[in-house]
């Protein structure tokens, strides 16, 4: 039997599902904690993956500036891990960010081997801009954070804007 995996922009109807996906990993300090309000307020940064019709994964792309964005809140439901969904979510973020003209993407992670398979290289945390840490200061592990910073240059990533607005033809000279 074949199954369908679809990555798409998140909608308000996904907020509860996103919250449920993130919560267990936030409780283990693997990702930053987000309440429902926070997810609503950043909803336009989220992509979700559906496995058939189930919400199977989520990722958030946060832009800090022209030259840097972060892939964060990446979670695939344990029931659907190792099906290629994490890879699809990160690649969709990269295409989306490349389409917006962002030069480089980074992640702070405990799964550096997963990111290495996607072409990310380890960099020193000190090389990241200071504004990156404005979120991290709220983490209980901030003082002794052992996450690894990884980054990827997006210049080779195909440009694929996620939002395609139909071309409208208008009359006029
Ligand atoms: C990390 C995570 C998102 C990966 O999602 P996934 O859907 O299972 O990953 P994929 O199936 O797309 O894996 C892609 C490749 O990475 C490898 N991979 C997956 N998880 C890995 C891990 N934890 N460590 C090393 N390699 C890993 C897979 O084997 C696969 O390799 P292959 O193409 O040679 O088979 C998922 O395990 C997860 O949600 N973990 C908990 C939360 C977390 O750590 N998030 C990251 C925060 S930055």
């Amino acid at each position: 039997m074949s199954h369908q995996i679809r990555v798409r922009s998140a909608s308000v109807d996904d907020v509860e599902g996103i919250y449920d996906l993130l919560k267990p990993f936030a409780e283990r300090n693997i990702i930053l904690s987000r309440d429902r309000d926070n997810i609503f307020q950043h909803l336009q940064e989220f992509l979700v993956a559906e496995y058939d019709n189930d919400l199977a994964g989520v990722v958030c792309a946060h832009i800090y500036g022209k030259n840097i964005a972060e892939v964060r809140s990446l979670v695939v439901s344990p029931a659907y891990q190792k099906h290629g969904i994490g890879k699809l979510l990160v690649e969709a973020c990269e295409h989306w960010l490349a389409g917006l003209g962002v030069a480089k993407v980074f992640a702070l992670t405990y799964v550096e081997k997963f990111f290495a398979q996607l072409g990310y290289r380890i960099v020193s945390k000190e090389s990241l801009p200071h504004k990156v840490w404005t979120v991290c200061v709220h983490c209980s592990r901030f003082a002794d954070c052992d996450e690894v910073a990884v980054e990827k240059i997006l210049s080779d990533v195909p440009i694929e804007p996620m939002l395609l607005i139909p071309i409208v033809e208008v009359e006029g000279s």
Side-chain angles (χ1 to χ4, degrees):
M1 188 181 160
S2 70
H3 298 276
Q4 211 176 42
I5 299 170
R6 187 164 78 111
V7 174
R8 58 168 174 79
S9 300
S11 78
V12 291
D13 292 335
D14 297 315
V15 169
E16 201 58 36
I18 293 173
Y19 177 76
D20 289 343
L21 277 173
L22 298 181
K23 191 165 177 268
F25 294 98
E27 284 171 352
R28 288 157 56 199
N29 286 320
I30 292 172
I31 57 164
L32 278 172
S33 174
R34 290 182 187 267
D35 59 22
R36 292 172 182 86
D37 279 347
N38 179 289
I39 297 167
F40 272 115
Q41 285 156 18
H42 294 90
L43 195 59
Q44 64 271 48
E45 299 182 349
F46 280 93
L47 301 177
V48 293
E50 287 176 330
Y51 186 93
D52 294 336
N53 290 319
D54 288 349
L55 196 68
V58 61
V59 70
C60 176
H62 182 76
I63 299 174
Y64 287 96
K66 183 173 164 64
N67 292 324
I68 194 138
E70 179 180 10
V71 167
R72 60 191 189 194
S73 299
L74 169 66
V75 162
V76 174
S77 159
Y80 295 108
Q81 288 180 8
K82 307 277 173 162
H83 284 78
I85 295 174
K87 179 173 188 274
L88 282 173
L89 281 166
V90 173
E91 287 177 347
C93 269
E94 292 170 4
H95 293 169
W96 186 19
L97 291 166
L100 291 169
V102 176
K104 191 166 67 179
V105 64
F106 77 93
L108 290 163
T109 188
Y110 294 108
V111 288
E112 68 267 24
K113 286 188 181 140
F114 164 79
F115 280 98
Q117 291 213 354
L118 295 175
Y120 286 72
R121 67 182 184 100
I122 294 177
V123 293
S124 78
K125 288 189 207 162
E126 290 69 34
S127 70
L128 300 174
H130 285 134
K131 52 191 166 191
V132 165
W133 308 112
T134 52
V135 175
C136 290
V137 290
H138 302 296
C139 176
S140 59
R141 285 196 184 168
F142 180 60
D144 60 347
C145 172
D146 52 359
E147 284 185 314
V148 172
V150 293
E151 72 171 29
K152 182 173 178 176
I153 308 294
L154 293 177
S155 51
D156 295 334
V157 171
I159 291 175
E160 201 173 301
M162 294 292 288
L163 185 64
L164 293 176
I165 297 171
I167 295 169
V168 178
E169 291 190 18
V170 291
E171 299 291 329
S173 52

